[in-house]
Each structure stands twice: as structure tokens, then as C-alpha cells.
Amino acid sequence: MSQSELGGPKGAQFSSGSTFISRFKMGIRHHGQECSKGLHEIFRAPISSFMTIAVLAIALALPAGFHVFLKNAQMVSSGWDNATQISLFLKMEISAEEVEKVQNELKNSVKIADVSLIPKDQGLKEFSELSGFGEALSFLDSNPLPDTLVITPTVAHSSPEASEALLIELQEIPEVELAQLDLQWVRKLYSMMAIAQKAVSALGVILGLSVLLIVGNTIRLAIQNKREEIQIIKLVGATDAFIRRPFLYSGLWFGIFAGILAWILVNSSVLWLKDPVRNLAGLYESQFRLSGLAFVEALQLIVIASFLGLLGSWISVGRHLKDIEPT
Amino acid sequence: MIQFNEVSKRYPNGHEALRNISFTLDSGEMSFLTGHSGAGKSTLLKLICVMEKPTSGQVIIDNRNVGRVGRRKIPYIRRNIGMIFQDHRLLFDRTVFDNVALPLIIAGYPHREIGRRVRAALDKVGLLSKEKLHPIMLSGGEQQRVGIARAVVNKPPLLLADEPTGNLDPELSAEIMSLFEQFNQVGVSVLIASHDLSLIARLPHRVISLKEGRLLEDNNEVTGGA
């Protein structure tokens, strides 16, 4: 420490600090250091950190798990999606020409996308093949089945209300004996799933809030443990931003680890259920396979978790750091 | 460097720590602050480093009224004041080097500069060989010197010391005082609060005495330093 470096004999002067560029460079380096220090901090108390992360992961895994469940339910039922069909059972006495006439009229309707005819003979054949009553049916003198028109409404008219209205309209046609809306229950299932979707979103919000609170509380404890250190650092001229940084990084790391653990929890549960579900699907002659969180979804989960971790620690640091002043 | 204009400090509990204090410490001056415990020495130092704000009057440090400084500006004032405490206030989970480097890291010095300055400061207090140790492995006198190295590492123009020799034997105390005199000789203003009157009497510096929060005596004629 030479005399020239410290200023003239009149006494040293207050300085405005280091240059902007050196501060900027140091800032970046410092961020890197704090980032790894935050990680270090988590590993310093591995058991309590792990428990915190596990609690966070469970809070995240619940909505994520329900999301996966709904996603799979939608996949199962997606084959039924455009299955809103109306079966028109025509009167027995109608001739083939009249059937064709009705079919053509219906084809021209703007509400109807497609009309297909199942002639009574074909209907009987299919029925005897699929029902297992083949033997018994051969004893019948005449075909008991009517000609059937299968109507597929346009997309605009396949909502439950519109298809209901169409059903009533079709019922009015004189040649029609009975109009039946098929798979109305699919629609009901869909609206139930829509409700479930909303419930999952609400659950997600509530559990996201709990993640904020858990991270916030963990960071609050960390701040209290470092009370003295914070006082000392403030005394030697640390800004609030400098003190805040390591806590924000630990919050971020908590979020990242919790996100990864939640992803592991969800996907291992899916893995565990995969075989039984495949067996069940096999019994229904379905090719359905249970799928877990896709890569992008897992990434989203981790990003959301780390954001929540950061936000939780931000709120906590903002609230508690101001209380600690050097004495 | 330091100017007190009719400064009073009353704590929220009603205790009146300082009453109507006025004095000036010039740039490059070295001075002692004495008085019994409870006379207001610590409060006076706290007003300088903005740990407390005056109830009335002005505390002017480097032409700036620190009583009016906003919260966000306080760290930048403290970076120009090296503070030394009786209880050292070291971070026990870090090495001696890291403790001394703290003010430089906070101020954003380049990495190489930090190493150079920390070693220069540790060399100055004679602890260069112990940079890798933790403070807990050092004696009381050595810990105090780590505290001094930390206070001077960023070459502040002002040094404040609160009972720096409080727990040390006379020989070590004299060593520490001579360190302060060396810093003063290169232009640093030094204000040392101490009740070690026998030690102060041996040194040719200005003495500001406080009693029950009032300025009792200020032998401004005997000025030390450069």
C-alpha cells in the first residue's frame, strides 16, 4: 500500500467506486459464483433440503399427475369425438326408391355432413355376425330390421344442443319411425372432463401458491440463519441487490430440483400403471397405451417450478431482508 | 472529512445518547474518542457510518449530510469507510482471504485485482501466511488484524475503530495502534473509540472526550497525523 496510491498528504478522498465496466464484468462473474453458491447452499444441508424439495415436488406432482390422467382420458375418448351420429330407423313399409329419396334430401341439408345407408339386409348380416345370435336369427322368417340411415351432423351441429335440435327435426320426417342420437354419453363425458380440467387448473393454482409459500418460508429461515452474516455484509457496503442474489438463486434451484423430482414422480407412477392399463385396454381390444409427461410438458413443469421458486424467494427476501440492519 | 453540527441522538426508548455535539475531523487527521461506556462513543460512530440517523443536527461526511441520505445510497457511503469492531465481526465460515476480500467483491473489483489487494492488506497486518486459515483458528489479536485488513483493503479515506484493543494485552494493543498510525501517515483519516486512557495518553493525537452524551473535552491543539 504505497503513499501515491492512497492520495496526497492532505488526506485520502472519498471515491465514487470502481469503473462501470469493471463492475459489469464482475457482476456477471459474481452471478455465476452466486449461482453455484446457491447450489452449494442446498447441498450443505442435504437432508433438510431434500425434504423441502420433496414437499415442493409433491405439491407440483399432484396437478401434473391429474393433468396426465386427463390427457390420457382424452386420448382414450378422442376416437369417439366425431361420433355424434344420429341413427334414423325408417318405417318398414318404405320402398327402396323412397329410401333413396330421403337420403338425397338429407344429403342436401346444410346441417348434415354425411348420410350413409345401412340396408336392412346388410344390417341383419352385421348383427348376426357381431351379436353371436347368428344361429337364432336364421330361424326368423323375415328380416325384422328396418333400413337405417346414419346421419353425421356437420361440426357446427354436433354440439349436444344442436344435435338435439337436429334430432327433433329428423324425427318429424314422415318416413322415419325412430330417430336416435348415439353416443350422447360421450358428450356428457366431455363436459365432465371439461369440469375436471377446470378443477385441475384450480388445484394447480392452489398448489402453486403453496409452492410459493413453502419456498418463501424456507428462504425466510435461511435469511434468519444468516442474520449476522447479512449484518456484516451490509456494514462493509453491500447493496440490497448483492445480499438478495444468493437467496434468489437458492429459490431458483429449489424450484428446478422440485420440478425435476415432480417429473420423476409422475412418470414413474405412469410407468407403474402402464402394464395393468395395457392389459385392461387389451380386454377392450384397444391399442391404448398410457403416456406420461412428454419432454415439452416436463420442461414446462420445470420452468413453472423454477419460476415459482424464484418468485417465492423474491417475495420472502423482499419482506425479511429490510428488517435486518446492522447494530 | 467528518463534521458534526449540534448533533443529538435520542433512541426510541427515550435514552438520550448524544446531546448537542459539534466537532470537525479534518481530512488526514487521526483522533481518539474516549469516555466511559455509555458515554455515547458507539452512537457517535454509528451516526458516521449511517447505522443510526441523528434526531437533530447534521452529520456531514465528505460534504454530504448522511442524515438525509436515502436507504439505497447508504452502501456506497459505507464503502468509503473502513470499520473495525471490538468483536471483529468476521465471517467464520470463510477463510481469512475471503473475509478480507469481501469489500472488494461487493464493490465489484476484477478478480486479479482482488487477489493483489487482499495479499497487500494481509501483508500489511502480517498475516499473509494465514490467508487460507479460518478465523476460528486465529488468536484474538490475529482476528482483530484480519478485521483491520478487511477495513483497509479497498483503501477507504476514513477508518473508524470501535474499541479495537478492547480484548488485547498492552503489547498487542500498541501494535494495533501503530498500524493505525501507519495508515494515517499515508493520508487516511482515523477515528478510534477507546477507553484505554493509558494507551491514548502515550500517543500524540487529538482526544475527543464524551461524558453522558456531551462533549467534555476536545484537545484540538495537539493534532496528530501527517
Side-chain angles (χ1 to χ4, degrees):
Chain A
M1 210 168 284
S2 73
Q3 182 149 356
S4 64
E5 274 177 284
L6 276 163
K10 285 278 282 175
Q13 298 301 310
F14 265 53
S15 79
S16 56
S18 41
T19 66
F20 176 75
I21 289 178
S22 84
R23 276 207 304 273
F24 181 74
K25 274 189 191 160
M26 199 54 207
I28 289 177
R29 180 193 285 270
H30 184 70
H31 266 284
Q33 282 171 350
E34 291 299 342
C35 190
S36 62
K37 215 185 272 175
L39 196 61
H40 214 76
E41 201 62 36
I42 286 179
F43 283 116
R44 210 164 64 162
I47 293 173
S48 72
S49 294
F50 176 76
M51 286 199 290
T52 306
I53 291 168
V55 171
L56 294 173
I58 290 165
L60 290 164
L62 274 171
F66 279 119
H67 168 77
V68 166
F69 175 77
L70 276 182
K71 189 180 76 167
N72 281 294
Q74 271 163 352
M75 256 181 336
V76 170
S77 57
S78 66
W80 313 329
D81 190 18
N82 41 22
T84 301
Q85 287 181 332
I86 297 170
S87 299
L88 294 183
F89 301 102
L90 302 178
K91 288 179 177 155
M92 294 296 282
E93 63 272 18
I94 287 174
S95 69
E97 292 91 65
E98 281 172 306
V99 170
E100 205 172 322
K101 203 186 103 210
V102 173
Q103 190 182 2
N104 285 333
E105 272 172 26
L106 288 174
K107 263 185 184 157
N108 290 332
S109 165
V110 288
K111 297 177 184 173
I112 292 166
D114 187 47
V115 182
S116 65
L117 172 69
I118 301 171
K120 53 181 93 173
D121 298 338
Q122 193 196 332
L124 184 66
K125 213 171 116 204
E126 275 180 19
F127 184 62
S128 62
E129 276 169 10
L130 292 174
S131 65
F133 290 124
E135 288 286 306
L137 289 169
S138 66
F139 288 104
L140 293 170
D141 304 338
S142 62
N143 187 349
L145 297 177
D147 288 321
T148 308
L149 290 172
V150 179
I151 311 272
T152 310
T154 56
V155 180
H157 290 85
S158 41
S159 72
E161 298 79 17
S163 55
E164 205 80 55
L166 186 62
L167 179 73
I168 292 163
E169 217 174 286
L170 294 170
Q171 188 75 69
E172 299 298 306
I173 300 170
E175 289 85 354
V176 172
E177 175 77 48
L178 176 68
Q180 201 171 9
L181 187 55
D182 291 341
L183 297 171
Q184 177 70 23
W185 63 274
V186 174
R187 292 277 153 196
K188 286 179 184 154
L189 178 69
Y190 279 151
S191 46
M192 274 195 276
M193 283 202 318
I195 293 169
Q197 192 92 62
K198 287 219 166 128
V200 169
S201 302
L203 190 74
V205 169
I206 291 167
L207 290 170
L209 214 62
S210 75
V211 168
L212 280 186
L213 292 176
I214 296 163
V215 171
N217 194 46
T218 308
I219 297 296
R220 183 181 65 86
L221 290 176
I223 290 171
Q224 276 173 359
N225 281 338
K226 299 201 156 210
R227 199 181 176 85
E228 208 184 337
E229 184 177 334
I230 291 168
Q231 287 179 338
I232 291 170
I233 292 175
K234 276 195 176 181
L235 275 179
V236 294
T239 56
D240 285 350
F242 181 92
I243 300 166
R244 204 184 295 136
R245 230 173 276 147
F247 294 111
L248 296 184
Y249 275 116
S250 347
L252 185 69
W253 281 116
F254 272 123
I256 290 171
F257 282 128
I260 292 170
L261 187 58
W263 173 42
I264 292 170
L265 282 176
V266 169
N267 273 17
S268 48
S269 324
V270 165
L271 216 60
W272 186 56
L273 285 172
K274 214 156 201 167
D275 276 343
V277 167
R278 197 173 53 205
N279 287 342
L280 186 67
L283 295 178
Y284 284 94
E285 290 175 354
S286 159
Q287 293 297 308
F288 175 71
R289 295 275 180 279
L290 201 59
S291 67
L293 284 171
F295 181 71
V296 176
E297 288 172 310
L299 220 58
Q300 282 172 338
L301 176 66
I302 292 167
V303 167
I304 290 170
S306 47
F307 170 75
L308 288 173
L310 188 63
L311 189 66
S313 58
W314 186 281
I315 294 168
S316 181
V317 165
R319 277 175 52 91
H320 299 291
L321 221 50
K322 281 213 176 78
D323 301 341
I324 301 176
E325 283 298 334
T327 50
Chain B
M1 181 57 62
I2 302 174
Q3 194 184 342
F4 273 57
N5 291 336
E6 296 172 359
V7 173
S8 296
K9 174 65 187 177
R10 180 200 288 270
Y11 282 106
N13 63 11
H15 173 61
E16 212 159 342
L18 291 178
R19 298 173 207 205
N20 206 20
I21 301 281
S22 297
F23 75 95
T24 304
L25 185 79
D26 286 334
S27 193
E29 193 177 2
M30 177 157 173
S31 178
F32 286 106
L33 185 64
T34 67
H36 296 291
S37 55
K41 301 190 298 286
S42 295
T43 302
L44 197 148
L45 293 182
K46 281 180 183 173
L47 288 173
I48 295 171
C49 61
V50 214
M51 284 156 78
E52 298 287 349
K53 294 207 169 178
T55 314
S56 67
Q58 294 169 306
V59 177
I60 294 164
I61 311 292
D62 190 43
N63 302 321
R64 202 175 347 191
N65 184 349
V66 295
R68 291 245 192 92
V69 164
R71 205 189 123 74
R72 299 171 67 88
K73 294 258 171 65
I74 292 173
Y76 300 99
I77 291 175
R78 289 189 184 145
R79 287 178 194 183
N80 281 308
I81 304 173
M83 272 176 275
I84 294 141
F85 308 93
Q86 182 176 8
D87 55 355
H88 322 316
R89 299 250 178 145
L90 301 177
L91 297 174
F92 284 92
D93 61 341
R94 302 186 196 189
T95 62
V96 167
F97 182 97
D98 288 343
N99 266 284
V100 176
L102 198 58
L104 301 177
I105 292 170
I106 286 168
Y109 278 84
H111 195 64
R112 210 179 303 158
E113 183 82 358
I114 289 175
R116 200 177 66 74
R117 288 198 181 207
V118 168
R119 295 204 172 89
L122 283 174
D123 192 28
K124 186 81 195 159
V125 299
L127 288 175
L128 192 51
S129 59
K130 310 213 166 171
E131 60 168 290
K132 291 200 175 71
L133 298 182
H134 280 73
I136 202 79
M137 300 152 97
L138 304 179
S139 70
E142 286 171 327
Q143 287 186 16
Q144 187 58 282
R145 282 187 280 158
V146 173
I148 293 170
R150 185 183 65 189
V152 300
V153 73
N154 59 343
K155 297 177 182 169
L158 174 61
L159 270 184
L160 299 181
D162 192 3
E163 303 284 359
T165 60
N167 299 325
L168 304 180
D169 60 54
E171 203 178 323
L172 278 172
S173 300
E175 253 177 55
I176 299 275
M177 285 305 170
S178 91
L179 264 177
F180 285 129
E181 286 184 315
Q182 287 172 43
F183 293 126
N184 179 237
Q185 272 156 24
V186 293
V188 178
S189 314
V190 183
L191 182 62
I192 301 166
S194 175
H195 59 246
D196 191 348
L197 291 170
S198 61
L199 179 68
I200 292 166
R202 288 204 298 273
L203 298 166
H205 298 296
R206 176 181 171 188
V207 179
I208 299 165
S209 303
L210 293 175
K211 190 179 183 186
E212 287 166 6
R214 288 180 209 282
L215 201 61
L216 189 71
E217 198 190 344
D218 185 357
N219 59 340
N220 206 357
E221 313 84 69
V222 200
T223 47

